[in-house]
Amino acid sequence: MAILVTGGTGYIGSHTIVELLNEGYDVVIVDNLSNSKIEVLHKIKQITKKDFKFYEVDILCREALEEIFKKNSIEAVIHFASLKSVGESVAKPLMYYNNNIVGTLVLCEVMNRYNVKKMVFSSSATVYKGSDSPLTEDSELGATNPYGNTKLMIEQILRDIYMSNNSWGITLLRYFNPVGAHESGLIGEDSVDTPNNLMPYITQVAIGKRKQLNIFGDDYNTYDGTGIRDYVHVVDIAKGHLKALDEILNKNQCEVYNLGTGKGYSVLDIIYQFTESTGIDIPYTVCNRRPGDVAICYADSTSAYEKLGWKSERNLDDMCRDSWKWQVLNPFGY
Ligand code: NAD
Ligand code: WQD
């Protein structure tokens, strides 16, 4: 029996596959390579010395997806495949609703048809309405952009599927701010375009690709005026999927867990820690706030700890060092 990983050549998917292979799972990957490169497959093999199947398939393509379910004995699905840029989703909402929501509907229909009813889904802290951190799974929900709406809607769809037939086992994982890379430096976040997120922007400044970091506002109501987030190492996030998988393979349920460290760091904290960890200064300038940003967002991950036995193990130093190692070893990405 194999675990089907949609979006498996992407950033979080590739790290999760390494953990799955290391734990002895059989893995089947589906990805249309819309935001990732085929080269990652060799890197995963290099790290794990294990083999797996890869299908270059769009999850919207029902026939191709059915073929995969026919040819492989799938036990559960980890569903990463999604478009994820907040700004792009505002400009191209139809593309986001179609890819993320229709893609998930097709996937669930095919799963149902082949009697595969176990899924771990990639949700996001972006589904929370406010910034009354720490955010628990019961904090008020409400997204402010099409990308976030797709995550909220898919969460609801998956809950409804479970309500209609509780032989399903579904876990919604709400990641906070995944950063870092595998300790080997062989896989990491491959930002082809200008990065939207803080850490890949910092590593590109550090390597000289960009002149300076723009800090999006220093007039927030925080201890240094810059935004506070819950940065969590991608390998810890990856390991969270194995815990979630373990739970649903043994239990029918629809549960939701925050995956974060429970600690918030400001943009300036990250800049100082990056310099501390790597010895490289990050020139920066303060500019206007980015529309849609909140002041503070960090997790209460007690539930993941108590029910899944998961907690983050890597600290900010690990996150900065591993992000930098990936950048140095792969200055042009994969
Ligand atoms: P990513 O873009 O690196 O990976 C997503 C993968 O899905 C890509 O390889 C892409 O090619 C693939 N994909 C997209 N649409 C597809 C389709 N229709 N058919 C097949 N493959 C498709 O993103 P990531 O950072 O690894 O994120 C993984 C998941 O986690 C996403 O669902 C994302 O929304 C969610 N998430 C990410 C973050 C983050 O900060 N990285 C935070 C919270 C949640
Ligand atoms: C972090 C902090 C910025 C870049 C995003 C998505 C969210 C989730 C995770 C998918 C903020 C500041 C950033 C820069 C800066 N993704 N910043 N200069 O906004 O918390 O979350 O990624 O689900 O949905 O919205 O992460 O890394 O973009 O920003 O000052 O060039 O860094 O203002 O305070 P964010 P981020």
Side-chain angles (χ1 to χ4, degrees), residues 124-138:
S124 166
T126 196
V127 299
Y128 291 113
K129 186 170 188 177
S131 56
D132 50 342
S133 293
L135 292 155
T136 73
E137 289 79 358
D138 295 327

Side-chain angles (χ1 to χ4, degrees), residues 196-198 201-202 205 211-220 222 224-228 231 265-272 282-291 293:
N196 295 311
N197 297 116
L198 180 64
Y201 206 104
I202 288 180
V205 171
K211 220 172 95 222
Q212 61 185 8
L213 173 73
N214 299 309
I215 296 182
F216 299 144
D218 66 353
D219 55 353
Y220 285 104
T222 62
D224 63 19
T226 66
I228 290 178
Y231 299 92
Y265 291 99
S266 73
V267 176
L268 289 174
D269 287 336
I270 301 297
I271 295 172
Y272 296 144
I282 301 297
Y284 63 81
T285 182
V286 177
C287 58
N288 290 337
R289 291 182 178 191
R290 184 171 60 179
D293 273 357

Side-chain angles (χ1 to χ4, degrees), residues 149-160:
N149 284 331
T150 69
K151 292 293 173 191
L152 262 183
M153 288 176 192
I154 294 168
E155 284 200 0
Q156 191 56 53
I157 290 166
L158 295 175
R159 273 191 214 98
D160 289 343

Side-chain angles (χ1 to χ4, degrees), residues 319-330:
M319 298 182 215
C320 291
R321 271 191 295 105
D322 291 339
S323 295
W324 180 231
K325 185 170 182 185
W326 153 255
Q327 179 72 80
V328 168
L329 292 180
N330 307 271

Side-chain angles (χ1 to χ4, degrees), residues 112-125:
N112 197 40
R113 181 141 189 224
Y114 288 83
N115 206 25
V116 179
K117 293 183 175 164
K118 304 286 178 181
M119 179 191 275
V120 180
F121 172 66
S122 302
S123 190
S124 166

Side-chain angles (χ1 to χ4, degrees), residues 7-214:
T9 46
Y11 173 45
I12 305 172
S14 54
H15 288 81
T16 303
I17 289 165
V18 165
E19 299 304 317
L20 287 168
L21 292 168
N22 282 343
E23 284 302 312
Y25 285 98
D26 279 338
V27 171
V28 175
I29 307 176
V30 179
D31 201 299
N32 65 359
L33 303 179
S34 59
N35 197 38
S36 52
K37 300 205 192 89
I38 191 106
E39 285 73 14
V40 71
L41 300 177
H42 306 298
K43 306 292 178 138
I44 294 172
K45 283 181 189 160
Q46 209 177 325
I47 295 169
T48 62
K49 317 267 184 291
K50 301 257 175 69
D51 210 357
F52 48 82
K53 281 194 195 168
F54 170 69
Y55 294 93
E56 185 178 340
V57 158
D58 193 311
I59 56 164
L60 285 153
C61 183
R62 185 186 306 263
E63 292 73 28
L65 207 53
E66 286 215 17
E67 273 307 299
I68 297 171
F69 278 77
K70 252 184 231 162
K71 286 194 180 132
N72 298 279
S73 177
I74 308 291
E75 187 176 18
V77 176
I78 305 184
H79 179 31
F80 294 104
S82 166
L83 296 172
K84 63 160 182 179
S85 161
V86 171
E88 188 183 46
S89 81
V90 174
K92 299 176 181 170
L94 282 174
M95 188 169 102
Y96 270 68
Y97 287 117
N98 186 49
N99 189 78
N100 296 1
I101 296 187
V102 181
T104 302
L105 290 176
V106 172
L107 174 66
C108 289
E109 281 168 2
V110 174
M111 287 175 67
N112 197 40
R113 181 141 189 224
Y114 288 83
N115 206 25
V116 179
K117 293 183 175 164
K118 304 286 178 181
M119 179 191 275
V120 180
F121 172 66
S122 302
S123 190
S124 166
T126 196
V127 299
Y128 291 113
K129 186 170 188 177
S131 56
D132 50 342
S133 293
L135 292 155
T136 73
E137 289 79 358
D138 295 327
S139 294
E140 195 180 353
L141 300 178
T144 53
N145 57 72
Y147 165 70
N149 284 331
T150 69
K151 292 293 173 191
L152 262 183
M153 288 176 192
I154 294 168
E155 284 200 0
Q156 191 56 53
I157 290 166
L158 295 175
R159 273 191 214 98
D160 289 343
I161 291 174
Y162 175 73
M163 290 306 284
S164 75
N165 176 346
N166 47 29
S167 63
W168 282 74
I170 298 172
T171 298
L172 316 171
L173 295 179
R174 293 179 184 150
Y175 320 144
F176 278 66
N177 290 61
V179 296
H182 190 263
E183 60 179 6
S184 63
L186 289 170
I187 57 172
E189 185 165 14
D190 193 12
S191 305
V192 184
D193 303 321
T194 309
N196 295 311
N197 297 116
L198 180 64
M199 188 62 93
Y201 206 104
I202 288 180
T203 62
Q204 290 201 5
V205 171
I207 206 158
K209 257 193 196 174
R210 313 207 173 264
K211 220 172 95 222
Q212 61 185 8
L213 173 73
N214 299 309

